[in-house]
Amino acid sequence: MAERGRPRAFDREKALKAALRLFWEHGYEGTSIAELKAAMGINGPSLYAAFGSKEELCRGSSALYEREYGAALLAILNDTTDARAAVETLLAAIADMRCEDGPRGCLVSTGETACGPANSAVARHVADRRGVLRNALTDRLTRAAAEGDIPAGIDIPALAAFYTAMIQGLSIQARDGADAALLAAIIKRAMEAWPGD
Amino acid sequence: MAERGRPRAFDREKALKAALRLFWEHGYEGTSIAELKAAMGINGPSLYAAFGSKEELCRGSSALYEREYGAALLAILNDTTDARAAVETLLAAIADMRCEDGPRGCLVSTGETACGPANSAVARHVADRRGVLRNALTDRLTRAAAEGDIPAGIDIPALAAFYTAMIQGLSIQARDGADAALLAAIIKRAMEAWPGD
DNA sequence: TCTATTGTGTACCGATTGATACATAAATGG
DNA sequence: CCATTTATGTATCAATCGGTACACAATAGA
């Protein structure tokens, strides 16, 4: 059974991608519906019919971001055999993140750290995603400790928070335009803090 | 010769402080003139007569921030004899930053990383301030290398960028509500990356 | 007191914000 | 064909945005 009614004239995924790009570059409050409509190539009613509201559109973009960018980060973290290499490769991937030819750095790590009272729900959502990334790091490092990749007696949550902070700092500096060599040097230095080296 | 005309009925510095608090907590785009007027306890014409525009008010708040908060950070950095202690104390001060009972973390380090096209000048201004902090770190570490506090052959700009990234990560996590003990543990870990340890 | 100067309070400006009403177009199922 | 369902395009909504016109109040110098 196919879909009833007039078919949608635009590609939902492509439109979502255009929205993601705008939110990534300008933030939630810095992106207007007018700009979204233009970039997505659709008009108001189509946007609201397909996505509900600006906030729901943002959550949809966030979900797309997780699929298209976040998942790869978690895969690096979890699938790299050596824990140290996993973290180092993760940091390198963060430094290399970019939305097409647009904004650099991790959207979640720097996103909506401050916003107006009316949009606090969006800020909380992004902050929660930062928590997810930190939890993933914590889990991976806990596993590393169990596997002997990290010496006993190391404060794992603190170590995870440290590398989370690195991700956030790298993302800000990437967004500010730091060149790849500098980011690589930062990562090299960050790995000097790896326990037991 | 005293001032002519009707005297101002509000304390300019106090009003600026109230504005700073709002910008710190909600960011430039997340703060409306209506909220500023309410918090500053003045009406539109008084605000515009005294401060010019929202953007100029923000720059004024930024200048106040530098005097009230930034200067102390630079003092720690430059006046602490031992370079390692200077950096460690600086990081601790960042972790401890707070606007009264309001937002935590360094305003500049996390501020306006994304904003709408209309406000890009403000974003550039804040990004420039991040550059100032990084330059101050670079200068201090260059001095440390010259004084022998840091071994020869260390990439000083990279080391400065690393600790700048730490400041940014600490600021984000402080803003997100991380407790002081965790931030202290992050700093302890960050100092493990100090060259030559 | 008179004039000049500056700040305050009200009331309002055009523009933009996020979001819709309504008529019409395009598809499916019968 | 018709009825139903869904999408599009135009035109617009009330609310809020940053910013001001204007009348009046309060000071200083003459």
Side-chain angles (χ1 to χ4, degrees), chain B residues 15-190:
Chain B
L16 205 53
K17 243 173 205 168
L20 169 59
R21 156 112 197 220
L22 279 187
F23 285 130
W24 196 336
E25 183 155 16
H26 301 301
Y28 181 74
E29 293 182 326
T31 305
S32 70
I33 293 287
E35 290 164 334
L36 286 164
K37 287 191 292 188
M40 298 166 82
I42 61 180
N43 49 35
S46 294
L47 191 157
Y48 282 91
F51 301 104
S53 69
K54 186 186 179 187
E55 183 173 335
E56 289 176 87
L57 174 58
C58 181
R59 286 176 196 277
S61 296
S62 172
L64 175 62
Y65 179 79
E66 273 185 47
R67 274 180 277 132
E68 296 276 310
Y69 298 89
L73 300 179
L74 295 185
I76 288 171
L77 189 58
N78 292 319
D79 299 347
T80 305
T81 312
D82 177 60
R84 191 185 193 284
V87 170
E88 186 164 13
T89 310
L90 171 64
L91 294 182
I94 293 281
D96 203 42
M97 279 184 90
R98 173 159 218 168
C99 183
E100 299 159 27
D101 57 339
R104 297 170 58 203
C106 171
L107 166 64
V108 165
S109 296
T110 66
E112 300 303 310
T113 51
C115 78
N119 303 310
S120 59
V122 174
R124 233 176 299 121
H125 175 258
V126 180
D128 283 349
R129 302 291 147 171
R130 281 192 284 276
V132 167
L133 183 52
R134 199 186 72 171
N135 290 342
L137 254 167
T138 307
D139 291 347
R140 181 64 185 87
L141 296 179
T142 300
R143 195 182 100 197
E147 289 171 347
D149 280 1
I150 294 177
I154 297 294
D155 183 345
I156 296 296
L159 189 62
F162 166 76
Y163 282 111
T164 302
M166 282 313 309
I167 288 170
Q168 292 158 350
L170 283 169
S171 292
I172 289 180
Q173 294 190 36
R175 186 182 272 276
D176 279 351
D179 61 63
L182 181 63
L183 297 180
I186 293 175
I187 293 170
K188 195 177 162 198
R189 179 55 55 184

Side-chain angles (χ1 to χ4, degrees), chain A residues 41-177:
Chain A
I42 62 181
N43 50 34
S46 294
L47 191 157
Y48 281 91
F51 301 104
S53 69
K54 187 188 178 185
E55 183 173 335
E56 288 178 87
L57 174 58
C58 181
R59 286 176 195 278
S61 297
S62 172
L64 174 63
Y65 179 80
E66 272 184 49
R67 274 181 277 133
E68 296 277 310
Y69 298 89
L73 300 178
L74 294 185
I76 289 171
L77 189 59
N78 293 318
D79 299 347
T80 304
T81 310
D82 178 59
R84 191 186 193 282
V87 170
E88 187 164 13
T89 310
L90 172 64
L91 295 182
I94 293 282
D96 203 43
M97 279 185 90
R98 173 159 216 168
C99 183
E100 298 158 28
D101 58 339
R104 297 169 59 204
C106 171
L107 166 63
V108 165
S109 296
T110 66
E112 300 302 311
T113 52
C115 79
N119 303 311
S120 60
V122 174
R124 234 176 298 122
H125 175 257
V126 181
D128 283 349
R129 302 290 146 170
R130 282 193 285 276
V132 167
L133 183 52
R134 199 187 72 171
N135 289 342
L137 254 168
T138 306
D139 292 347
R140 181 64 185 87
L141 295 179
T142 301
R143 195 183 100 197
E147 289 170 347
D149 280 1
I150 294 177
I154 296 293
D155 183 346
I156 295 297
L159 189 61
F162 167 76
Y163 282 110
T164 302
M166 283 313 309
I167 289 170
Q168 292 157 350
L170 283 169
S171 292
I172 289 180
Q173 294 191 35
R175 187 182 270 276
D176 279 351

